[in-house]
């Protein structure tokens, strides 16, 4: 995956009503997150929701965690300039979701590990875990800052507030409810943000078509190549490599692994991936239509200005207040990735560093460390985000390195889920060699006059680590060698899953009540948002029927979710323990 700087420089002249909407939206999201402050009382609850998270909530959270400002800004720029190819690129993410759901997610769930780092410890050893843990944390703090900075930039451009104030506000709000409610707060706010963003997009698309007098104009008044699935820059080879990258990133990123392990069963973990894939078939079409329509409305934008095409279309068609809702939705949807990284980084620090140093620590001590580490990691990320304008190329280099580490960091670990032969040596060697090769062709060879284009860079980044692992696999098979840690891992895995099953059965009623509580909290949030949209629709001077109808539908949906469900009997006979193969 490639990272492109987000350079929003135009002011969008928001009204007072828009700013009030953003403030109310922000308060609502924080209140929903804080509502779960009493649920994170144990490690399993704070980092894994006790393994009882409903699959559809986890799937929506995975979807939102993959979302960033780049969805509307970077891909929106490609949609404005090149057309349908922007949708084709994002469809590779749908394919990745289905592959992960079919193959990788159930393997992660079967491990029974609280974090990916814990799995690495049991499968490859403590020394290997340390290497991957420190590498992950180093990259994560810069990536968290890189997510925070562009979304703060959007808030700065939208409201006129100083950039550092925007960074502090957004970062502080995220730290507040993630440290209070843990994974429940992260996933529940993700679901609320998904619903609100969906409502806003549903309103923007038809109003955009009205601005150019219908769909026909989008067909007739664009370049002949506008609906090509591929072009010279985004070739079939690039898409294949990008699809493989997304599969590995989605299947191996430690924050996303949480989404597969926090549900009850392996089948539920598969549904998480399938839901992600289904959403990424539909959503890119809805997301990319407004900037494509704006190409007809104003075909004069430069390549740089095209990054604001989506927001410009929103500004043209959305009444006062709803532009604030859209921008607020974009801002907090983007912070979903930040929240996920805060929670998983805290989990790694608490479960895989502190707990190893002090294995006899009480649950109360561990939860104290969990919350403090969330705050400290968040504060450090905020400081880096505030320093980005002053650090210049340094941060761009680090972010580029972070992008290049996706396959080298995650693929070797994913491979061990399917192979009993891969060892600590093969994993670390593959990771370090791949990082070296990627860094060489990204930063060194261009200085000597040789550089790879985007497709070549993507293909190299995917194929080299695969080649390394294939060579190791063939070598170990020829030697009839099995990883020395594999059998001990299987024993731990069976015992750990048995313990998890026992805990789920013991906490059945409490967790069922917890799930119902979560649905009601989200429902109240959706009801309030839908009611607010309907009120803003009544004040609008265009698109009143569409906006009011959308608001009423979502308000009724929220109201339906707040109803207390009838008592049901839950059976755990479908939960099976992994067998030692």
């Amino acid at each position: 995956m490639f990272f492109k700087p987000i350079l929003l420089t135009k002011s969008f002249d928001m009204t007072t009503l828009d700013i009030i909407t953003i403030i109310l939206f922000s308060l609502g999201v924080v209140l929903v997150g804080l509502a779960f402050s009493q649920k994170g009382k144990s490690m399993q609850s704070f980092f894994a929701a006790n393994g009882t998270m409903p699959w559809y909530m986890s799937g929506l959270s995975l979807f939102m965690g993959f979302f960033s400002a780049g969805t509307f800004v970077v891909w929106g720029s490609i949609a404005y300039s090149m057309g349908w190819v922007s949708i084709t690129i994002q469809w590779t993410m749908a394919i990745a979701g289905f592959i992960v759901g079919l193959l990788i997610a159930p393997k992660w769930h079967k491990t029974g590990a609280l974090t990916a780092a814990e799995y690495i410890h049991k499968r490859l050893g403590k020394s290997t875990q340390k290497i991957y843990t420190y590498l992950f944390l180093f990259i994560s703090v810069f990536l968290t800052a890189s997510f925070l900075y562009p979304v703060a930039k959007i808030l700065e451009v939208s409201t006129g507030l100083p950039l550092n104030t925007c960074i502090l506000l957004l970062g502080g709000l995220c730290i507040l409810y993630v440290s209070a409610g843990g994974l429940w707060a992260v996933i529940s706010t993700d679901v609320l943000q998904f619903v609100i963003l969906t409502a806003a997009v549903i309103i923007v698309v038809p109003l955009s078509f009205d601005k150019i007098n219908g769909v026909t104009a989008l067909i007739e008044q664009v370049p002949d190549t506008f609906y090509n699935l591929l072009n010279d820059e985004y070739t079939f080879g690039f898409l294949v490599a990008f699809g493989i990258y997304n599969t590995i990133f989605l299947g191996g990123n430690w924050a996303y692994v949480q989404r597969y392990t926090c549900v009850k069963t392996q089948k539920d973990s598969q549904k998480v991936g399938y839901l992600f894939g289904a959403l990424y078939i539909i959503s890119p079409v809805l997301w990319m239509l407004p900037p494509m329509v704006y190409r007809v409305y104003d075909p004069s934008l430069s390549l740089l200005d095209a990054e604001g095409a989506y927001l410009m279309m929103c500004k043209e068609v959305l009444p006062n207040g709803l532009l604030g809702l859209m921008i607020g939705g974009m801002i907090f949807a983007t912070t979903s990735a930040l929240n996920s990284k805060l929670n998983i980084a805290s989990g790694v620090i608490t479960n895989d560093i502190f707990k190893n140093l002090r294995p006899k620590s009480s649950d109360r001590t561990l939860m104290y460390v969990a919350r403090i580490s969330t705050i400290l990691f968040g504060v450090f990320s905020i400081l880096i985000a505030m320093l980005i304008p002053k650090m210049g190329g340094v941060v761009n280099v680090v972010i580029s390195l972070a992008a290049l580490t996706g396959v080298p960091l995650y693929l070797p670990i994913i491979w061990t889920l399917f192979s009993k032969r891969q060892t600590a040596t093969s994993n670390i060697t593959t990771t370090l060699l791949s990082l070296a090769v990627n860094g060489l062709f990204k930063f060194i060879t261009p200085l000597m006059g040789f550089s790879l284009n985007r497709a070549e860079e993507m293909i190299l980044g995917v194929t080299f680590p695969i080649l390394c692992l294939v060579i190791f696999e063939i070598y170990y098979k020829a030697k009839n060698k099995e990883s020395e840690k594999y059998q001990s891992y299987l024993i731990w895995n069976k015992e750990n899953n048995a313990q998890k099953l026992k805990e789920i059965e013991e906490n059945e009623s409490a967790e069922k009540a917890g799930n119902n509580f979560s649905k009601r909290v989200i429902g109240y949030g959706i009801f309030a948002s839908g009611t607010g949209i309907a009120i803003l629709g009544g004040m609008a001077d265009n698109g009143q029927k569409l906006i009011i109808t959308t608001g009423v539908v979502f308000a009724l949906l929220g109201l339906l979710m707040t109803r207390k469900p009838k008592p049901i009997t839950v059976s755990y006979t479908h939960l099976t323990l992994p067998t030692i193969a």
Side-chain angles (χ1 to χ4, degrees), residues 227-245:
Y227 291 99
N228 288 357
L229 295 178
L230 305 169
N231 59 27
D232 292 339
E233 185 172 359
Y234 298 102
T235 62
F236 181 75
F238 170 85
L239 290 181
V240 170
F242 192 54
I244 295 172
Y245 174 90

Short mmCIF file of all heavy atoms in Angstrom, two decimals, residues 227-245:
data_model
loop_
_atom_site.label_atom_id
_atom_site.label_comp_id
_atom_site.label_asym_id
_atom_site.label_seq_id
_atom_site.Cartn_x
_atom_site.Cartn_y
_atom_site.Cartn_z
N TYR A 227 -14.49 5.52 -17.65
CA TYR A 227 -15.08 4.30 -17.08
C TYR A 227 -14.23 3.06 -17.34
O TYR A 227 -14.70 1.93 -17.16
CB TYR A 227 -16.50 4.11 -17.61
CG TYR A 227 -17.46 5.15 -17.09
CD1 TYR A 227 -17.81 6.26 -17.86
CD2 TYR A 227 -17.97 5.06 -15.80
CE1 TYR A 227 -18.67 7.23 -17.37
CE2 TYR A 227 -18.82 6.04 -15.29
CZ TYR A 227 -19.16 7.11 -16.08
OH TYR A 227 -20.00 8.08 -15.58
N ASN A 228 -12.98 3.28 -17.72
CA ASN A 228 -12.06 2.15 -17.86
C ASN A 228 -11.76 1.55 -16.49
O ASN A 228 -11.53 2.28 -15.52
CB ASN A 228 -10.75 2.59 -18.51
CG ASN A 228 -10.93 2.91 -19.99
OD1 ASN A 228 -12.01 2.74 -20.54
ND2 ASN A 228 -9.87 3.37 -20.63
N LEU A 229 -11.71 0.23 -16.41
CA LEU A 229 -11.42 -0.44 -15.15
C LEU A 229 -9.95 -0.28 -14.75
O LEU A 229 -9.62 -0.27 -13.57
CB LEU A 229 -11.78 -1.92 -15.23
CG LEU A 229 -13.25 -2.25 -15.42
CD1 LEU A 229 -13.45 -3.76 -15.54
CD2 LEU A 229 -14.10 -1.71 -14.27
N LEU A 230 -9.07 -0.18 -15.76
CA LEU A 230 -7.63 -0.04 -15.54
C LEU A 230 -7.10 1.08 -16.41
O LEU A 230 -7.78 1.55 -17.32
CB LEU A 230 -6.90 -1.35 -15.89
CG LEU A 230 -7.37 -2.63 -15.18
CD1 LEU A 230 -6.74 -3.85 -15.82
CD2 LEU A 230 -7.03 -2.58 -13.70
N ASN A 231 -5.87 1.53 -16.14
CA ASN A 231 -5.21 2.48 -17.02
C ASN A 231 -3.70 2.24 -16.97
O ASN A 231 -3.23 1.27 -16.36
CB ASN A 231 -5.56 3.92 -16.65
CG ASN A 231 -5.18 4.29 -15.21
OD1 ASN A 231 -4.25 3.72 -14.63
ND2 ASN A 231 -5.89 5.26 -14.64
N ASP A 232 -2.94 3.12 -17.60
CA ASP A 232 -1.49 2.90 -17.70
C ASP A 232 -0.80 2.98 -16.34
O ASP A 232 0.24 2.35 -16.13
CB ASP A 232 -0.88 3.95 -18.64
CG ASP A 232 -1.32 3.74 -20.09
OD1 ASP A 232 -1.74 2.62 -20.40
OD2 ASP A 232 -1.27 4.71 -20.87
N GLU A 233 -1.35 3.77 -15.41
CA GLU A 233 -0.73 3.90 -14.09
C GLU A 233 -1.15 2.79 -13.14
O GLU A 233 -0.33 2.24 -12.41
CB GLU A 233 -1.09 5.27 -13.48
CG GLU A 233 -0.37 5.54 -12.17
CD GLU A 233 -0.59 6.96 -11.66
OE1 GLU A 233 -1.29 7.74 -12.35
OE2 GLU A 233 -0.05 7.28 -10.59
N TYR A 234 -2.43 2.47 -13.18
CA TYR A 234 -2.95 1.41 -12.30
C TYR A 234 -3.26 0.19 -13.17
O TYR A 234 -4.39 -0.01 -13.62
CB TYR A 234 -4.19 1.91 -11.55
CG TYR A 234 -3.86 3.08 -10.66
CD1 TYR A 234 -4.19 4.38 -11.04
CD2 TYR A 234 -3.19 2.88 -9.45
CE1 TYR A 234 -3.87 5.46 -10.22
CE2 TYR A 234 -2.88 3.96 -8.63
CZ TYR A 234 -3.22 5.24 -9.03
OH TYR A 234 -2.89 6.30 -8.22
N THR A 235 -2.23 -0.62 -13.37
CA THR A 235 -2.29 -1.76 -14.28
C THR A 235 -2.84 -3.00 -13.57
O THR A 235 -3.02 -3.01 -12.35
CB THR A 235 -0.89 -2.08 -14.80
OG1 THR A 235 -0.05 -2.45 -13.68
CG2 THR A 235 -0.27 -0.87 -15.50
N PHE A 236 -3.05 -4.06 -14.35
CA PHE A 236 -3.52 -5.31 -13.78
C PHE A 236 -2.49 -5.87 -12.78
O PHE A 236 -2.86 -6.37 -11.72
CB PHE A 236 -3.78 -6.33 -14.89
CG PHE A 236 -4.28 -7.65 -14.37
CD1 PHE A 236 -5.58 -7.80 -13.94
CD2 PHE A 236 -3.43 -8.75 -14.31
CE1 PHE A 236 -6.05 -9.02 -13.45
CE2 PHE A 236 -3.89 -9.98 -13.83
CZ PHE A 236 -5.21 -10.10 -13.39
N GLY A 237 -1.21 -5.75 -13.12
CA GLY A 237 -0.16 -6.21 -12.22
C GLY A 237 -0.18 -5.47 -10.90
O GLY A 237 0.00 -6.07 -9.83
N PHE A 238 -0.40 -4.15 -10.96
CA PHE A 238 -0.50 -3.35 -9.74
C PHE A 238 -1.67 -3.82 -8.89
O PHE A 238 -1.55 -3.98 -7.67
CB PHE A 238 -0.66 -1.87 -10.07
CG PHE A 238 -1.01 -1.01 -8.88
CD1 PHE A 238 -0.01 -0.52 -8.06
CD2 PHE A 238 -2.34 -0.72 -8.58
CE1 PHE A 238 -0.33 0.24 -6.94
CE2 PHE A 238 -2.66 0.05 -7.48
CZ PHE A 238 -1.65 0.54 -6.66
N LEU A 239 -2.83 -4.04 -9.53
CA LEU A 239 -4.01 -4.43 -8.78
C LEU A 239 -3.84 -5.79 -8.11
O LEU A 239 -4.28 -5.99 -6.98
CB LEU A 239 -5.23 -4.45 -9.71
CG LEU A 239 -5.73 -3.10 -10.21
CD1 LEU A 239 -6.95 -3.28 -11.09
CD2 LEU A 239 -6.05 -2.17 -9.05
N VAL A 240 -3.21 -6.74 -8.81
CA VAL A 240 -2.97 -8.06 -8.21
C VAL A 240 -2.07 -7.91 -6.99
O VAL A 240 -2.36 -8.45 -5.91
CB VAL A 240 -2.33 -9.02 -9.23
CG1 VAL A 240 -1.87 -10.31 -8.54
CG2 VAL A 240 -3.33 -9.35 -10.34
N ALA A 241 -0.96 -7.17 -7.15
CA ALA A 241 -0.03 -6.98 -6.03
C ALA A 241 -0.70 -6.20 -4.90
O ALA A 241 -0.51 -6.53 -3.72
CB ALA A 241 1.21 -6.24 -6.52
N PHE A 242 -1.49 -5.20 -5.23
CA PHE A 242 -2.19 -4.40 -4.23
C PHE A 242 -3.22 -5.24 -3.48
O PHE A 242 -3.41 -5.12 -2.27
CB PHE A 242 -2.85 -3.19 -4.89
CG PHE A 242 -3.35 -2.15 -3.93
CD1 PHE A 242 -2.52 -1.58 -2.99
CD2 PHE A 242 -4.68 -1.72 -3.97
CE1 PHE A 242 -2.98 -0.61 -2.10
CE2 PHE A 242 -5.15 -0.75 -3.09
CZ PHE A 242 -4.30 -0.20 -2.15
N GLY A 243 -3.89 -6.13 -4.22
CA GLY A 243 -4.86 -7.03 -3.60
C GLY A 243 -4.19 -7.99 -2.63
O GLY A 243 -4.70 -8.25 -1.54
N ILE A 244 -3.02 -8.53 -3.03
CA ILE A 244 -2.27 -9.42 -2.14
C ILE A 244 -1.81 -8.65 -0.91
O ILE A 244 -1.89 -9.15 0.23
CB ILE A 244 -1.07 -10.05 -2.87
CG1 ILE A 244 -1.56 -10.96 -4.00
CG2 ILE A 244 -0.19 -10.83 -1.90
CD1 ILE A 244 -0.45 -11.48 -4.90
N TYR A 245 -1.32 -7.43 -1.14
CA TYR A 245 -0.89 -6.59 -0.01
C TYR A 245 -2.04 -6.39 0.97
O TYR A 245 -1.89 -6.54 2.19
CB TYR A 245 -0.38 -5.24 -0.49
CG TYR A 245 -0.09 -4.30 0.66
CD1 TYR A 245 1.17 -4.27 1.25
CD2 TYR A 245 -1.08 -3.48 1.19
CE1 TYR A 245 1.43 -3.45 2.34
CE2 TYR A 245 -0.84 -2.66 2.28
CZ TYR A 245 0.43 -2.65 2.85
OH TYR A 245 0.66 -1.85 3.93
#
